[in-house]
Amino acid sequence: MGRAETETYITVPSFFRCPISLDVMKSPVSLCTGVTYDRASIQRWLDGGNNTCPATMQVLRTKEFVPNLTLQRLIKVWSDSVGRYAGGSPPPNPASARGIPTMEEVNESLKRLSLDKDDEIRRLETLSRIVRFVKYSDANRDFLSGKKDFVPMLVDIISGTRTTTKIKLVLIAIRILDSVIKGENEEDRERLSNLMLAKSSDCLNSILVAIQRGNLESKIESIRVLELISFDAQSKLVIAGRDGILTELIKSISTESDPALIEASLSLLITISKPKRVRSKLIAAKTITKIKDILLTEEATSVAVTEKSLKLLETLSSRKEGRSEICGGDGGRCVEGVVNKVLKVSTTATEHAVTILWCLCYVFREDKKAEVTVERSNGVTKLLVVIQSNCSPMVRQMAKDVIKVLKINSSASALAAYETKTTHITPF
């Protein structure tokens, strides 16, 4: 056997690696930001005229660094324990072995990316290397998200023309955006939303093509990017108003779709359904029929998909036409699906389901068929259990309200039956 066949890799503790070179540090030093690097790597970074911390992109108050002697001792003890790497020779770097570029190499790649605007093949190769880099670690993702011109460069790629190669570039650019922009970072989301929707026609066209033509992973990444840029009421309206996007999302929540795709699509639909206009569009497009199919499917459905289906149905039940569709002329099957999920999936699913029933049976009461279906589906027993459960006080009160209505109905029915009997009694 040759060396390449017999060589094995030892797992290196992540904090032993320099965030820049990804190699085991020989002389670890810490910047004022608290991040530790190998002395040689950070010195090259600073000598290159940079005044930021590579991992956090914070501006450095001082460029002085302090030797991290504790970490150096830990690396020495670990290295000695490895045996054949004793004497300071570090083990092979798994990241390098898998072709993960370093931060320095990524900086060079970004320069080439801006220069090779007319060479789509080379840009494709460069972006592919960057994908490997961002998928490798949080530090790498933070490093790129902190670069001022990086995200605008990706948006320019997404908004460009759509040749065959360009579509591949778009898919990779979307993949990188999905990795580096964090949903909880409101500033990053707002900045990305403003950038993409400033070129809304081009960007949304490209993302729609990605959803239509991409593989499963690309579809999910594209949908997640749309959710990232659904930042405020206006952006939600713009996205929902783009021809084809709602159609693709509703198509994606078919029971035949992959569960991960259904979950991502439901999540985006929930996000953009806040404006009344969008809710009306979703109802008109028969979204409730798709949700009903999910709730009634006999196959195992993930907890997340069930919760999100009920959440979206709850949102749509706020519209009169939505309630009418839920109670529709199919024997109350949608209401039956809602009742079936009470106490069966999770606390969150139960709370959404009870809220829907409360809306149909207590608040609006436009269609008495909902109440009949709840009773027929053993809903009263379930709601009595909800009152004793760990659901929120508000939801427990909703359950009481619905039971009150159902009891009144039962009493009224009994009274009507009694009166019918008495009218046929011959008086003395």
Side-chain angles (χ1 to χ4, degrees), residues 2-135:
R3 183 177 182 275
E5 295 176 295
T6 60
E7 184 174 41
T8 58
Y9 291 104
I10 292 173
T11 301
V12 182
S14 59
F15 57 95
F16 285 2
R17 294 198 195 103
C18 172
I20 297 176
S21 68
L22 301 182
D23 290 324
V24 176
M25 290 181 276
K26 296 178 181 177
S27 178
V29 294
S30 299
L31 292 180
C32 60
T33 57
V35 183
T36 300
Y37 302 89
D38 193 45
R39 183 187 295 270
S41 296
I42 193 61
Q43 192 63 64
R44 280 197 301 273
W45 172 266
L46 297 174
D47 289 346
N50 297 293
N51 66 341
T52 56
C53 172
T56 66
M57 295 312 293
Q58 293 177 338
V59 176
L60 299 172
R61 300 190 308 274
T62 172
K63 292 186 178 182
E64 294 179 359
F65 38 73
V66 179
N68 192 328
L69 299 178
T70 301
L71 183 56
Q72 189 167 22
R73 282 194 296 271
L74 288 173
I75 293 173
K76 178 68 166 60
V77 170
W78 171 80
S79 182
D80 289 344
S81 70
V82 169
R84 66 190 177 105
Y85 300 115
S89 177
N93 188 337
S96 300
R98 290 197 295 270
I100 310 296
T102 65
M103 287 182 180
E104 292 171 327
E105 290 169 338
V106 166
N107 279 329
E108 289 302 314
S109 294
L110 294 179
K111 290 177 185 175
R112 287 198 299 274
L113 200 59
S114 60
L115 293 173
D116 297 335
K117 289 189 175 180
D118 298 325
D119 192 335
E120 292 183 350
I121 301 298
R122 287 190 64 178
R123 297 190 99 194
L124 194 57
E125 292 171 353
T126 301
L127 280 178
S128 297
R129 283 194 295 274
I130 293 174
V131 166
R132 293 196 295 273
F133 178 79
V134 299
K135 292 289 184 182

Side-chain angles (χ1 to χ4, degrees), residues 310-354:
L310 289 166
K311 173 61 178 174
L312 182 56
L313 193 63
E314 178 190 325
T315 301
L316 299 181
S317 70
S318 65
R319 305 289 293 163
K320 183 175 181 179
E321 62 268 34
R323 295 189 294 275
S324 177
E325 188 76 18
I326 293 169
C327 298
D330 59 352
R333 294 283 284 159
C334 189
V335 177
E336 182 183 326
V338 173
V339 174
N340 286 343
K341 299 306 177 186
V342 174
L343 301 171
K344 195 174 180 180
V345 181
S346 67
T347 300
T348 299
T350 294
E351 293 191 344
H352 289 316
V354 171

Side-chain angles (χ1 to χ4, degrees), residues 236-268:
K236 292 173 174 61
L237 287 169
V238 170
I239 291 167
R242 171 60 180 87
D243 289 341
I245 287 182
L246 285 186
T247 301
E248 289 299 321
L249 292 174
I250 295 168
K251 189 193 302 181
S252 295
I253 61 173
S254 163
T255 52
E256 298 175 358
S257 298
D258 183 272
L261 178 60
I262 298 174
E263 184 182 347
S265 300
L266 285 169
S267 186
L268 175 55

